[in-house]
């Protein structure tokens, strides 16, 4: 139920989504709950509260959940169905078992605080006596189930349980899911200075295929949203997502990944200083020695000329890097004598761990260098490559992957993680079919 509620949203149609998800009927049917439990005094095992002690008649002594399910109401909402067997104290020494059945229709609204809130639009509880106590059975050997007809002296029927109160208690059961809904607005860390939020942009589309929602990724620095580049094409949930047999299928657009790298570049996470180790080569040694003293280490300071691009093709992802490399000496102020524009393409590896998308740059597939400025006159292209390529090839990817090693949080509900995740790369978007696993609550 928590992951369903985490995907439901009210409409905010003024912005464009860049990712989304579809929760399938198999995801809706996933649940873990206690099978049975002895109620503490004054409270049963599933949260139905009672004011009187259990020694009083008509108090719930135990609860056994026989069935709990959540189903789709296409174009309307969700239906919660609960069947529970209640052990009811009817007298100080007798009890009976009553089957409580609840049908509740659920809707999502936005409360005055701006958080999403789950409410019941309809609730219908019914009760049926299922089994008499051992004491009654001993008094009436052939009474069968639940009947007092053969008891001597006759059993006086117990007053009915407070059925109207049941729907009030159902609303109380939604407290935890609503806390999960409110937590959707939490800012999740990307770097020490950058956070990410997922903003639902439209009411969920509920159909026979599942619950579909569109989301927009927002990156923030010091609580202020970064002005991300506009998506070149509107994103819609791919039809292939609804065909998955997994609990949930996430879909992430090219723009999602490009925005991620844009945010990291904006906060300077990719700025780096590399050691130039090519001075032992004859050509590089001659060039550098003519400008710098021999005892001064030569460094390469790298920044991005423009933000990286992510290109998604069928079956693979590419990362386009546009760098400005400045060669010089001195620290912390660099005395640059040589500036080079570097364009490189690297493969991009994508995977999922718990609730994070793990991203890493693989081997460089292509690199082009062009001289931008020089205080030492023209520099042959072969000498530029001799001087810079080894440091760029090894150092840039290593330092980028150190930044990327924490990954980025995916949209998720608290206490759930993703398992059996399969990353499928298509042109312009990535699909992540996965199953859900409920984590034990602590505290």
């Amino acid at each position: 139920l928590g992951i369903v509620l985490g995907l439901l949203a009210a409409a905010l149609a003024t912005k464009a989504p860049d990712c989304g998800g579809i929760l399938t009927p198999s995801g809706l049917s996933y649940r873990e709950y206690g099978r049975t439990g002895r109620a503490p005094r004054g409270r049963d095992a599933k949260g139905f509260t009672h004011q009187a002690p259990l020694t009083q008649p008509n108090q719930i002594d135990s609860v056994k959940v026989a069935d709990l399910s959540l189903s789709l109401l296409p174009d309307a909402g969700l239906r919660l169905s609960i069947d529970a067997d209640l052990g009811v104290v009817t007298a100080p020494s007798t009890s009976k078992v009553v089957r409580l059945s609840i049908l509740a229709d659920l809707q999502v609204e936005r409360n005055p605080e701006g958080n999403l809130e789950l409410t019941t639009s309809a609730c219908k509880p019914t009760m049926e006596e299922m089994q008499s106590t051992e004491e009654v059975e001993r008094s009436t050997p052939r009474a069968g189930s639940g009947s007092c007809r053969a008891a001597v002296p006759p059993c006086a029927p117990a007053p009915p349980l407070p059925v109207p109160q049941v729907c009030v208690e159902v609303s109380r059961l939604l407290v935890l899911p609503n806390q999960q809904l409110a937590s959707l607005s939490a800012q999740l860390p990307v770097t020490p200075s950058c956070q990410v939020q997922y903003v639902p942009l439209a009411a969920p589309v509920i159909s026979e295929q599942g619950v579909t929602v569109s989301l927009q990724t927002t990156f923030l620095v010091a609580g202020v949203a970064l002005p991300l580049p506009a998506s070149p094409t509107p994103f819609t949930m791919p039809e292939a997502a609804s065909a998955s047999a997994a609990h949930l299928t996430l879909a992430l657009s090219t723009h999602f990944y490009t925005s991620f790298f844009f945010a990291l570049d904006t906060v300077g996470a990719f700025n780096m200083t590399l050691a130039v180790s090519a001075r032992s080569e004859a050509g590089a040694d001659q060039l550098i020695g003519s400008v710098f003293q021999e005892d001064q280490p030569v460094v390469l300071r790298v920044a991005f000329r423009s933000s990286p691009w992510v290109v998604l093709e069928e079956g693979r992802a590419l990362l386009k890097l546009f760098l400005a490399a400045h060669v010089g000496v001195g620290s912390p102020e660099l005395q640059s004598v040589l500036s080079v524009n570097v364009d490189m393409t690297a493969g991009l590896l994508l995977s999922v761990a718990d609730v994070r998308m793990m991203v890493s740059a693989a081997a460089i597939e292509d690199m082009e260098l062009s001289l931008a400025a020089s205080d030492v006159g023209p520099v042959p292209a072969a000498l530029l490559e001799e001087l810079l390529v080894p440091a760029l090839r090894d150092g840039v990817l290593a330092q980028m992957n150190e930044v990327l090693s924490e990954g980025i949080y995916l949209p998720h509900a608290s206490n759930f993680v993703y398992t059996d995740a399969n990353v499928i790369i298509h042109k312009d978007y990535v699909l992540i079919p996965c199953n859900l696993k409920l984590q034990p609550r602590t505290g």
Side-chain angles (χ1 to χ4, degrees):
L1 179 59
I3 194 66
V4 181
L5 306 179
L7 289 174
L8 297 176
L12 291 172
T14 58
K15 299 180 181 179
D18 57 13
C19 61
I22 179 167
L23 187 72
T24 64
S26 62
L28 279 172
S29 67
Y30 173 79
R31 73 256 186 196
E32 293 185 14
Y33 53 85
R35 297 292 181 177
T36 185
R38 188 72 174 178
R41 295 181 66 84
R43 180 180 293 271
D44 74 69
K46 289 296 171 184
F48 292 87
T49 56
H50 312 284
Q51 300 301 317
L54 292 178
T55 56
Q56 298 298 319
N58 291 331
Q59 299 307 302
I60 297 176
D61 179 62
S62 65
V63 174
K64 180 180 179 180
V65 176
D67 184 67
L68 185 151
S69 63
L70 194 63
S71 57
L72 298 165
L73 296 177
D75 303 319
L78 302 170
R79 174 160 291 170
L80 176 65
S81 174
I82 303 175
D83 289 335
D85 294 336
L86 311 180
V88 181
V89 176
T90 57
S93 60
T94 61
S95 65
K96 63 182 177 180
V97 176
V98 175
R99 168 62 60 88
L100 169 64
S101 298
I102 305 171
L103 287 179
D105 293 344
L106 308 180
Q107 291 183 340
V108 174
E109 301 173 349
R110 186 176 294 274
N111 61 26
E113 291 75 30
N115 295 322
L116 300 180
E117 188 174 63
L118 189 72
T119 60
T120 56
S121 59
C123 177
K124 181 182 179 182
T126 58
M127 287 188 178
E128 176 186 3
E129 186 174 338
M130 303 295 292
Q131 180 182 347
S132 61
T133 65
E134 292 182 3
E135 179 178 341
V136 172
E137 289 175 355
R138 287 194 300 268
S139 302
T140 59
R142 298 190 177 186
S145 66
S147 173
C148 294
R149 59 181 180 272
V152 179
C155 297
L161 291 171
V163 172
Q165 181 68 15
V166 170
C167 287
V168 175
E169 300 292 349
V170 168
S171 67
R172 294 178 185 174
L173 294 176
L174 303 179
V175 170
L176 176 59
N178 281 330
Q179 290 174 348
Q180 293 176 320
L181 284 174
S183 71
L184 290 177
S185 60
Q187 297 179 12
L188 305 170
V190 179
T191 70
S193 60
C194 183
Q195 296 79 42
V196 63
Q197 278 185 304
Y198 294 99
V199 181
L201 290 182
V205 177
I206 300 178
S207 65
E208 294 181 356
Q209 287 71 41
V211 180
T212 304
V213 66
S214 297
L215 303 167
Q216 184 188 55
T217 309
T218 302
F219 293 93
L220 306 101
V221 176
V224 179
L226 292 175
L228 298 175
S231 176
T233 56
F235 176 74
T236 57
M237 184 62 60
E239 293 184 3
S242 62
S244 172
H247 292 166
L248 172 72
T249 298
L250 296 173
L252 309 174
S253 68
T254 301
H255 191 253
F256 169 87
Y257 292 99
T258 297
S259 298
F260 172 51
F261 280 95
F262 176 88
L264 291 176
D265 177 40
T266 300
V267 298
F270 292 141
N271 294 340
M272 61 192 77
T273 299
L274 307 173
V276 177
S277 59
R279 294 190 66 184
S280 60
E281 301 293 337
D285 186 67
Q286 180 180 1
L287 172 66
I288 298 173
S290 65
V291 180
F292 302 114
Q293 299 296 323
E294 289 295 332
D295 59 352
Q296 290 183 297
V298 179
V299 297
L300 182 63
R301 189 156 293 174
V302 179
F304 282 82
R305 305 194 323 267
S306 61
S307 295
W309 293 353
V310 175
V311 178
L312 300 178
E313 300 177 348
E314 204 66 29
R316 69 171 186 164
L318 299 175
L319 180 63
K320 303 281 189 179
L321 304 176
F322 311 99
L323 310 174
H326 304 283
V327 182
V329 297
S331 179
E333 295 298 327
L334 180 72
Q335 302 176 35
S336 175
V337 297
L338 195 65
S339 297
V340 178
N341 291 334
V342 183
D343 296 344
M344 66 171 67
T345 301
L348 206 56
L349 303 179
L350 307 173
S351 61
V352 174
D354 289 340
V355 293
R356 298 192 193 201
M357 167 63 71
M358 308 309 295
V359 183
S360 63
I364 294 174
E365 299 187 7
D366 182 50
M367 184 186 302
E368 294 183 3
L369 282 67
S370 60
L371 189 64
S374 174
D375 291 342
V376 295
V379 181
L383 185 55
L384 281 180
E385 293 182 4
E386 178 187 357
L387 178 65
L388 301 181
V389 167
L392 292 170
R393 182 186 58 234
D394 301 328
V396 169
L397 293 190
Q399 295 207 25
M400 285 191 65
N401 285 333
E402 184 176 351
V403 173
L404 297 170
S405 61
E406 293 298 319
I408 178 174
Y409 282 98
L410 292 168
H412 66 280
S414 58
N415 296 110
F416 279 88
V417 297
Y418 301 138
T419 65
D420 308 313
N422 186 21
V423 177
I424 306 171
I425 303 174
H426 294 287
K427 180 175 173 56
D428 298 331
Y429 67 93
V430 170
L431 285 183
I432 308 173
C434 55
N435 290 327
L436 304 173
K437 181 178 179 181
L438 180 64
Q439 296 288 83
R441 291 180 57 84
T442 58

